[in-house]
Amino acid sequence: VCIHRVRSCSSIRFIKSKYVCVFDKSALKFSHQQRLFRTSAVSCGQIVQFKLSDIGEGITEVTVKEWYIKEGDSVSQFDSICEVQSDKASVTITSRYDGVIRKLHYSIDDIAFVGKPLVDIEIDASKGVAPEEDVVETPPMSHEEHTHQEIKGHKTLATPAVRRLAMENNIKLSEVVGTGKDNRILKEDILNYLAKQTGAILPPSPKAEIVPPLRKTEPVPAAPKDKARKIPVPVSRPIAFSGKDKTEPVTGFQKAMVKTMSAALKIPHFGYSDEIDLTQLVQLREELKPLAEIRGVKLSFMPFFIKAASLGLLQYPILNASLDENCQNVTYKASHNIGVAMDTEQGLIVPNVKNVQVCSVFDIAVELNRLQSLGSAGQLGTSDLTGGTFTLSNIGTIGGTYAKPVILPPEVAIGALGKIQVLPRFNGRGEVFKAQIMNVSWSADHRIIDGATMARFSNLWKSYLENPASMLLDLK
């Protein structure tokens, strides 16, 4: 053995050699420690930089809202590292590696940039983890790194075969709901998602058995009790008069609103309004609410509004289209991804219900419940907030009657729904009766949509809601 250098420590001995020949192990033993010299270096671990990969939608920077770990903590693959917020959504970043956190590159409310390191993780090189140079040099927009992110509450757990299938079909795993253990995405989930995107009608998937309502001996009240008129109550917030002006940066969803509304002002809007008699729909909903509650779902009027809009869009697809920036091409969207404007603590957000054209009213109600829960908690993900093709804004939940909604590019139409009021109306015999009246205000892109088209669509939508049974003729 030709030894170049020998370095001794209290607990570890290293030998770096230029040449190694076959030799007898016993010749290189220490008599007092019985330890062999070895030619391979012993490492305590290597530091890799975990970078913020591409979140999509052209996002280049995010705000760090919360750290779930601190320096010195041990993490495993898919453990949550931090929550970041862009101008479109909140996203939870999960770990790619098993190791120990050695450095956090950002503090709370700092701006993190795509492609830059988020944390340094010390990993055990002996466990077959990818070499450090493979990690550092990986492009920030690589698909592999993207699939280890999660929209908050939905981990993208999947096998390599499933990831490859998703990559071949250009599907983001964050948009697929997993049905396996721990929400793991299975091959069937990818195929079902792909079929829905192409508009195919899928065979019914196995669902939990629906328990029919139990017969009650006590009579159910025919009509709800009259409710006292709601009086607006000011929000109780501490009032502080500092006497000084305060300047704050525009961030988060406010920043998204600035961009969206600035683009919306370039669209020539025109408005159309009408009133809807929801008397029959109010009665139908009262009958169906107990059934929905047995299934664990809160049934509002919005699922009916959304489904009626989808049936109308099938007849007037121009309202479910988009116009390119040069106004040269119109793209008719195959999916009806109908957005619902929500007022949250973070500001106005518009998540959308995907593929309404193949959903039942109950399916829409289930999805709305999920979106409202995530919206209230500020946990809506990018997939929930993007891809919308048509929007309904229910200003009536706050108390408004009329509105002038602004189109959300690249969409071409939007509707604002007023509150439902009990008003006197005349029937065909000239008799006064009590009616449940709601006003609707439409806005449309006048470059490709004319008033007659908007009016015909509104009349069809109105007929479905005033005669809910008529929707049965067109339901798929």
Side-chain angles (χ1 to χ4, degrees):
V1 180
C2 300
I3 299 177
H4 176 62
R5 185 192 308 170
V6 177
R7 185 179 60 171
S8 297
C9 301
S10 60
S11 59
I12 302 176
R13 287 175 171 76
F14 297 86
I15 291 182
K16 295 185 178 179
S17 59
K18 286 186 177 180
Y19 308 98
V20 179
C21 305
V22 179
F23 59 95
D24 184 4
K25 296 180 186 178
S26 59
L28 291 175
K29 287 184 179 179
F30 283 96
S31 59
H32 62 285
Q33 290 185 341
Q34 295 295 320
R35 182 168 296 178
L36 293 174
F37 284 104
R38 298 179 182 175
T39 58
S40 59
V42 179
S43 174
C44 297
Q46 60 179 356
I47 303 296
V48 296
Q49 292 184 332
F50 180 72
K51 296 182 178 181
L52 175 63
S53 60
D54 179 42
I55 299 176
E57 298 297 322
I59 296 171
T60 59
E61 61 182 45
V62 295
T63 302
V64 178
K65 303 303 294 183
E66 183 178 359
W67 286 106
Y68 299 121
I69 44 87
K70 61 182 182 297
E71 293 181 2
D73 285 354
S74 297
V75 295
S76 301
Q77 292 187 44
F78 304 111
D79 283 353
S80 297
I81 292 180
C82 66
E83 179 186 349
V84 299
Q85 186 180 74
S86 68
D87 56 358
K88 297 182 180 180
S90 295
V91 179
T92 297
I93 307 300
T94 59
S95 176
R96 284 182 59 187
Y97 311 106
D98 299 330
V100 179
I101 302 297
R102 291 306 180 195
K103 180 179 179 181
L104 306 181
H105 286 267
Y106 300 98
S107 300
I108 301 296
D109 292 330
D110 282 355
I111 302 298
F113 297 92
V114 170
K116 300 297 182 181
L118 269 179
V119 296
D120 289 351
I121 303 178
E122 181 180 341
I123 61 175
D124 188 349
S126 65
K127 293 185 178 181
V129 182
E132 181 179 356
E133 57 269 16
D134 291 344
V135 177
V136 176
E137 298 299 327
T138 299
M141 299 177 70
S142 68
H143 182 273
E144 181 184 357
E145 193 169 43
H146 177 74
T147 57
H148 283 272
Q149 297 181 359
E150 62 164 329
I151 303 303
K152 188 163 187 175
H154 298 278
K155 291 185 177 181
T156 53
L157 300 177
T159 63
V162 172
R163 295 182 188 280
R164 174 171 296 182
L165 179 62
M167 185 184 302
E168 291 173 351
N169 290 278
N170 196 26
I171 296 175
K172 292 182 179 179
L173 290 179
S174 58
E175 297 179 356
V176 181
V177 178
T179 59
K181 184 180 179 181
D182 298 328
N183 295 326
R184 184 176 297 275
I185 297 175
L186 307 177
K187 180 180 178 181
E188 292 77 11
D189 300 328
I190 299 293
L191 297 178
N192 289 339
Y193 180 86
L194 185 61
K196 285 185 178 181
Q197 293 299 309
T198 57
I201 306 298
L202 299 177
S205 56
K207 297 182 179 179
E209 182 179 357
I210 298 173
V211 181
L214 300 176
R215 294 185 178 182
K216 297 183 180 180
T217 56
E218 298 179 1
V220 179
K225 297 180 180 180
D226 293 336
K227 296 181 180 179
R229 179 178 297 180
K230 294 182 180 180
I231 301 176
V233 179
V235 179
S236 177
R237 293 179 181 175
I239 301 175
F241 296 97
S242 62
K244 297 181 180 179
D245 295 341
K246 182 173 66 172
T247 302
E248 295 181 348
V250 178
T251 59
F253 295 116
Q254 281 186 329
K255 192 172 183 179
M257 187 181 293
V258 170
K259 295 179 181 179
T260 304
M261 294 300 102
S262 297
L265 287 178
K266 301 177 183 179
I267 299 174
H269 288 57
F270 83 89
Y272 178 85
S273 299
D274 200 355
E275 72 172 30
I276 320 294
D277 183 356
L278 298 180
T279 304
Q280 293 187 37
L281 181 61
V282 170
Q283 296 174 355
L284 176 62
R285 174 176 171 264
E286 287 299 322
E287 296 174 2
L288 296 179
K289 277 179 63 178
L291 298 177
E293 289 176 357
I294 291 175
R295 302 186 191 187
V297 175
K298 180 180 178 182
L299 181 63
S300 65
F301 290 103
M302 186 57 73
F304 297 97
F305 299 154
I306 291 175
K307 188 60 185 180
S310 177
L311 295 175
L313 293 175
L314 292 174
Q315 301 295 324
Y316 299 95
I318 187 64
L319 298 175
N320 195 60
S322 64
L323 186 65
D324 64 5
E325 294 182 0
N326 298 324
C327 301
Q328 300 296 319
N329 300 288
V330 177
T331 301
Y332 294 86
K333 302 294 185 178
S335 298
H336 296 173
N337 299 338
I338 299 182
V340 180
M342 292 183 181
D343 178 37
T344 68
E345 294 182 358
Q346 291 79 27
L348 175 66
I349 56 177
V350 189
N352 58 83
V353 181
K354 298 289 195 299
N355 298 301
V356 177
Q357 77 280 3
V358 295
C359 293
S360 66
V361 172
F362 180 76
D363 292 335
I364 298 170
V366 172
E367 180 65 4
L368 278 179
N369 282 195
R370 185 186 72 85
L371 294 175
Q372 288 166 349
S373 298
L374 293 177
S376 299
Q379 297 178 356
L380 284 168
T382 305
S383 61
D384 297 322
L385 295 169
T386 57
T389 60
F390 186 88
T391 298
L392 291 176
S393 177
N394 190 7
I395 194 67
T397 56
I398 300 177
T401 305
Y402 300 96
K404 186 179 179 181
V406 180
I407 299 169
L408 299 174
E411 299 173 19
V412 294
I414 184 174
L417 313 175
K419 63 182 179 181
I420 300 176
Q421 305 176 87
V422 179
L423 298 173
R425 289 295 182 266
F426 290 93
N427 59 20
R429 296 186 298 271
E431 300 169 343
V432 178
F433 69 99
K434 183 173 65 175
Q436 303 276 354
I437 301 298
M438 181 189 74
N439 296 97
V440 60
S441 304
W442 303 102
S443 290
D445 188 337
H446 215 342
R447 293 174 296 182
I448 59 174
I449 300 173
D450 55 63
T453 301
M454 189 76 253
R456 293 188 181 101
F457 167 82
S458 181
N459 289 338
L460 179 59
W461 180 76
K462 174 180 178 179
S463 69
Y464 285 133
L465 298 178
E466 291 188 338
N467 304 282
S470 65
M471 286 197 288
L472 294 175
L473 299 176
D474 295 323
L475 291 177
K476 303 293 185 183

